[in-house]
Amino acid sequence: MRRGYLHVTRFPVQRKVIESPALAGQPLVLVEEVRGQRRVAFASTRALKAGVRPGMTLTAATALEPELRNFPYRLKDEAQALTALGESLLGLCPGFQRDAPDGLWFDASAAHLVGGEQELGARVLEVCGEQGYRAHVTVASEAFTSRVLARHGSRRVEVVPEGQGARALAPLPLSALEDAAAKAFSVLGLSTLGEVAALPAGAVTARGGAAAARAHARCRGVDDTPFTPEPLEEALEDRVVLDAPSDTFEPVQFALKTLLDRLGARLSGRQRAAVRLTFVLRLDPTGEAQVPLLLARPTARAKLLLDLARHRLGELRLERPVAEVAVRVDAHDEDLGQQLALGDAPEGDAALEGVLSRLATTLGEGALFAASLEAVHRPESAHAPRAFHPPETRRGLLSPSGPLAPATEPAAPITVWREAGAARERPSRLLAQPARLDAEVTASGEMLAARLAGRRHRVTAMAGPERLGGEWWTDTPYQRDYYRVHFEGLGPAWVYRDGRDGDFYLQGLFD
């Protein structure tokens, strides 16, 4: 199979600088505990120029660079970040396989969908660049070929044709083997992978055993290493441990940006969009605070999520400093995107999303509701409030209801009462129970005035009737004449006259 390899140079260092932009250009190292000693695992470019090398003790590294800053190297955090980067590529490839600590393979079999393998590599680098990473990509037929060329080659994107692995590897230095076999070949005076590939296979096996034979085969472009895609976690959650517990919002804000950038990329890769999030702030030394966020519309846009997170958490008062920030996606939906209608402004639409999300999270989920059509005949019961959920369709020419939408099964017909070419109006506010009116009526049946709550309201205008009846098959049939009546001091109202008792009832009010 064709597979690509993405190599992010010193990935843990790049990740740390992305999380803390103030570290850009500074000498820093990530250190790990090795046999009771703190040793350098990764170093920044400036630290390397000062002579700092991986494996060196922190004391020796600090002697070379007095301004050296150090941070803990946590394998779990690096694996989490590398997985997030792999998931962000799922919109371009069917799967990925991590190669810790700074690379991953990806399935390049769908390259023809984006214009070929060269274009696929460029797209992969583009996705990485959006997250702040600098990387190299190689597409080849063998795992070893793609990995070594991405790590030691000079091109940002390289494509090795089928059967050309040995030729592409030949100029690379012997150090590209990155294992004990390199030393075994170096004592023979060899300096390139091409020289290794030219050796007789039998002599290599006799002298170096199975490990040398395997390295020799790979240098000749022969590699049967299987591709094992990483299983995707069902729960989308990410976390960042702060360098030190903080009682100010600024470090928390940087952590939130990192988390939401990663989660947004993971959601986009899965073609999903978040509906509900929970922010978890773990406190020092114990305790935690959980803050939910309900979105007005499913989204994977990190910028919008960060704006809402700042609004939600910016004024939060905590009893203890924050030691760790985590974000969990509690609910997500298919990301259908959104195509604006001609003339719409995306900035205004995003602002509306922000306002609705803030209302829902500040006032509670029940404060935001929408009307739902009900399968009943009574006009006052034809719609009912329901919990607000994001709209299921998009607007624009390619929306499911647009003129270019694919043909689907016709929806059930909706009956609309019309008069004079326009739909009959319905009130925006309905009374929970109709209020009986003490009406003054002329001999012809026209209403002159009505008393409501002890006050007399004169009728200034009246339109109707709209005669409706039904539900005769139930225990509560109805036969009514509906009117739009404008009362002095009350405004436009929706009134009906019940056919059973002949009385008038107030059903709702128009805004």
Side-chain angles (χ1 to χ4, degrees), residues 105-416:
W105 284 281
F106 59 89
D107 186 345
S109 59
H112 61 283
L113 299 177
V114 295
E117 293 175 345
Q118 187 75 27
E119 180 63 22
L120 174 62
R123 294 277 192 94
V124 168
L125 290 184
E126 184 179 336
V127 172
C128 291
E130 290 172 354
Q131 299 175 62
Y133 295 111
R134 301 182 306 278
H136 294 78
V137 170
T138 297
V139 180
S141 300
E142 307 85 29
F144 177 80
T145 302
S146 60
R147 182 181 188 273
V148 169
L149 280 171
R151 289 174 173 269
H152 300 278
S154 57
R155 298 177 183 175
R156 292 289 306 281
V157 178
E158 185 165 359
V159 175
V160 180
E162 183 79 32
Q164 297 298 312
R167 178 178 295 181
L169 292 170
L172 297 183
L174 193 60
S175 58
L177 286 175
E178 298 180 355
D179 57 20
K183 184 176 181 180
F185 289 121
S186 66
V187 299
L188 300 176
L190 306 180
S191 59
T192 66
L193 300 190
E195 293 173 351
V196 173
L199 295 174
V204 170
T205 304
R207 183 181 180 91
R214 183 167 53 252
H216 178 254
R218 288 175 174 176
C219 292
R220 292 187 291 109
V222 178
D223 184 13
D224 57 358
T225 304
F227 178 77
T228 308
E230 297 288 336
L232 297 182
E233 296 180 1
E234 185 173 346
L236 279 169
E237 186 173 1
D238 212 337
R239 67 185 182 92
V240 166
V241 178
L242 302 184
D243 296 329
S246 174
D247 54 6
T248 63
F249 185 60
E250 186 175 2
V252 175
Q253 181 173 265
F254 279 123
L256 284 171
K257 184 180 186 308
T258 298
L259 290 172
L260 293 174
D261 281 346
R262 289 208 300 238
L263 277 175
R266 293 174 68 184
L267 286 164
S268 296
R270 297 186 183 203
Q271 298 296 301
R272 307 295 291 178
V275 175
R276 186 194 303 271
L277 304 173
T278 297
F279 300 99
V280 182
L281 306 178
R282 295 190 172 89
L283 310 179
D284 183 60
T286 60
E288 69 176 28
Q290 296 196 17
V291 183
L293 174 64
L294 176 67
L295 301 173
R297 178 185 289 128
T299 186
R301 289 187 293 166
K303 184 178 184 302
L304 175 61
L305 294 174
L306 181 60
D307 289 343
L308 295 173
R310 286 171 178 160
H311 169 77
R312 194 79 175 99
L313 303 176
E315 302 299 325
L316 197 64
R317 295 289 182 266
L318 301 173
E319 297 179 354
R320 301 183 185 90
V322 178
E324 180 181 318
V325 183
V327 182
R328 182 177 68 245
V329 180
D330 297 319
H332 51 81
D333 199 357
E334 183 181 1
D335 188 4
L336 298 175
Q338 183 187 14
Q339 180 173 347
L340 299 176
L342 294 177
D344 281 359
E347 296 82 4
D349 202 60
L352 177 61
E353 288 184 42
V355 170
L356 293 177
S357 297
R358 291 180 182 185
L359 284 172
T361 53
T362 303
L363 303 179
E365 186 173 347
L368 203 61
F369 60 89
S372 171
L373 293 177
E374 303 293 327
V376 296
H377 292 270
R378 293 177 185 263
E380 63 270 21
S381 304
H383 70 277
R386 63 172 174 83
F388 177 81
H389 292 291
E392 299 176 354
T393 60
R394 296 171 289 172
R395 296 177 292 124
L397 297 177
L398 299 181
S399 67
S401 59
L404 301 183
T408 57
E409 296 227 350
I414 299 176
T415 302
V416 179

Side-chain angles (χ1 to χ4, degrees), residues 49-109:
K49 289 180 178 178
V52 177
R53 293 292 181 268
M56 183 181 291
T57 64
L58 179 60
T59 303
T62 306
L64 293 172
E65 176 54 76
E67 297 181 2
L68 188 69
R69 301 187 61 181
N70 68 90
F71 303 93
Y73 175 67
R74 302 184 182 94
L75 286 173
K76 185 178 180 181
D77 291 353
E78 304 306 330
Q80 181 176 267
L82 193 58
T83 298
L85 181 59
E87 288 188 26
S88 70
L89 303 178
L90 292 178
L92 298 170
C93 59
F96 68 94
Q97 178 184 353
R98 287 184 310 178
D99 183 35
D102 53 7
L104 56 85
W105 284 281
F106 59 89
D107 186 345
S109 59

